[in-house]
Amino acid sequence: MAGLITSVSANSFVVNQKNGAATVGFSTTTKISQTTPAALTDVTPGSCVSVRPERGSSPGANGAVTAAAVQISSAKNGACFANVREFTGAAGVLRGTVNSVDATTLVVAPAGGATPATAALTTTTSYARHAPTDAQAIAQGECVTARGTTDGNGTLQADTIALRPAVNGKCQGANR
């Protein structure tokens, strides 16, 4: 379930979706994460990153791409993106550990691969940080994607909740 949070109570919130409002319940065992805006200065050697190439771009030598978006995340069990297939230079997302970064270039050691890949950074590249958080981050006006099971009352009991900022009061991609 995905949409804009319209109200929050102690252990639940209401999401406005394309087909109407829905209630999501959560507990202390629900895994909650949040994506927040970041900047190039937040990307440092050793950071875990996901680099989304510009739409329609073709990878160059050694999988080089022009980055549309860079998302910074935390290592899990000391590794960035464990169990991810090697990046092959296809026009997919590049995930791995930052080797080096400057104003125009990001060099990433791909998860599952040995050959570093280069991402060109432009003035239009966007940056975000994705990190675990707690229920305090659940707020009216945030965008949410929640997964879990629906109980007999029609409430989604969330196993995972992913929060991100709304853009002009709307959630991009929420009304699929």
Side-chain angles (χ1 to χ4, degrees), residues 53-69:
E54 286 184 341
R55 187 176 299 224
S57 66
S58 296
N62 295 329
V65 296
T66 299

Side-chain angles (χ1 to χ4, degrees), residues 49-113:
V49 293
S50 294
V51 179
R52 184 175 46 83
E54 286 184 341
R55 187 176 299 224
S57 66
S58 296
N62 295 329
V65 296
T66 299
V70 176
Q71 183 169 286
I72 308 157
S73 60
S74 304
K76 292 180 183 159
N77 299 322
C80 293
F81 308 103
N83 303 320
V84 172
R85 290 187 322 228
E86 181 174 352
F87 176 73
T88 60
V93 175
L94 166 62
R95 291 182 179 92
T97 306
V98 174
N99 281 353
S100 65
V101 61
D102 63 32
T104 60
T105 307
L106 176 63
V107 179
V108 177

Side-chain angles (χ1 to χ4, degrees), residues 23 25 148-157:
T23 302
T149 55
T150 303
D151 67 18
N153 296 324
T155 298
L156 177 74
Q157 296 300 327

